[in-house]
Amino acid sequence: MNFYHILKSAHSGWRYLVLILLVLAIVTAIAGWLGKKPYTEGNRKLNMFTLIFVHIQILFGLILYFVSPLVEAGIRYWKMEHIAMMIFAAILVTVGNARSKRADDPSAKHRTIALYFGLGLIVIIASIIQMTMADPSRSFFGVS
């Protein structure tokens, strides 16, 4: 097994951690926002871990981008769409985390996280669904 296959498996498996943390952060933020709960240290840590995991996933993806035979073959989805959508999703998560830190009101912090992380999750899911349509041998839940 070479470096490319190890990294591809890590990138494919790491997505589950990213998706779980994003869903958990969004649900927590919506509950805090609608329930008018305080923004706790636990909320801050969950959001920060989510941000870190998203950034690690992007790092795996960027390394794969430069060593992948699919990109070298010029397959449009891998060369343009996947990388652009995932970077955009990471930007949404990063901006959401940064804006939540600047908000004074706990409700505004929760609302900002719910909105930006939620949009990021939608972009990630759309990109994964698009991947399964571009390459029928891959599945949404299967490790590729």
Side-chain angles (χ1 to χ4, degrees), residues 57-143:
Q57 181 72 341
I58 286 295
L59 181 62
F60 285 158
L62 286 173
I63 295 168
L64 275 172
Y65 184 78
F66 292 107
V67 300
S68 174
L70 295 172
V71 173
E72 290 175 17
I75 298 173
R76 180 175 175 243
Y77 172 74
W78 297 109
K79 196 166 187 131
M80 303 292 290
E81 296 165 9
H82 184 74
I83 190 80
M85 289 176 78
M86 293 304 185
I87 288 173
F88 180 61
I91 289 169
L92 285 170
V93 170
T94 304
V95 168
N97 190 59
R99 291 186 109 197
S100 75
K101 288 179 182 179
R102 288 190 215 117
D104 294 328
D105 180 38
S107 180
K109 288 179 183 276
H110 289 302
R111 182 179 64 241
T112 302
I113 291 294
L115 175 67
Y116 282 92
F117 282 30
L119 290 172
L121 180 63
I122 289 169
V123 171
I124 290 170
I125 290 173
S127 181
I128 294 172
I129 290 171
Q130 192 175 7
M131 174 191 67
T132 62
M133 294 185 332
D135 186 356
S137 68
R138 297 174 188 261
S139 68
F140 186 86
F141 294 106
V143 176

Side-chain angles (χ1 to χ4, degrees), residues 7-24:
L7 192 58
K8 185 178 168 189
S9 294
H11 182 65
S12 187
W14 196 261
R15 74 175 153 191
Y16 297 111
L17 299 172
V18 170
L19 291 172
I20 289 167
L21 283 171
L22 273 171
V23 168
L24 189 59

Side-chain angles (χ1 to χ4, degrees), residues 24-72:
L24 189 59
I26 292 165
V27 168
T28 303
I30 290 172
W33 174 26
L34 298 178
K36 307 225 184 296
K37 296 179 181 177
Y39 189 83
T40 65
E41 182 66 14
N43 296 125
R44 187 193 68 76
K45 286 181 181 178
L46 174 61
N47 297 336
M48 183 57 66
F49 277 116
T50 303
L51 176 74
I52 291 168
F53 275 62
V54 167
H55 284 184
I56 290 170
Q57 181 72 341
I58 286 295
L59 181 62
F60 285 158
L62 286 173
I63 295 168
L64 275 172
Y65 184 78
F66 292 107
V67 300
S68 174
L70 295 172
V71 173
E72 290 175 17

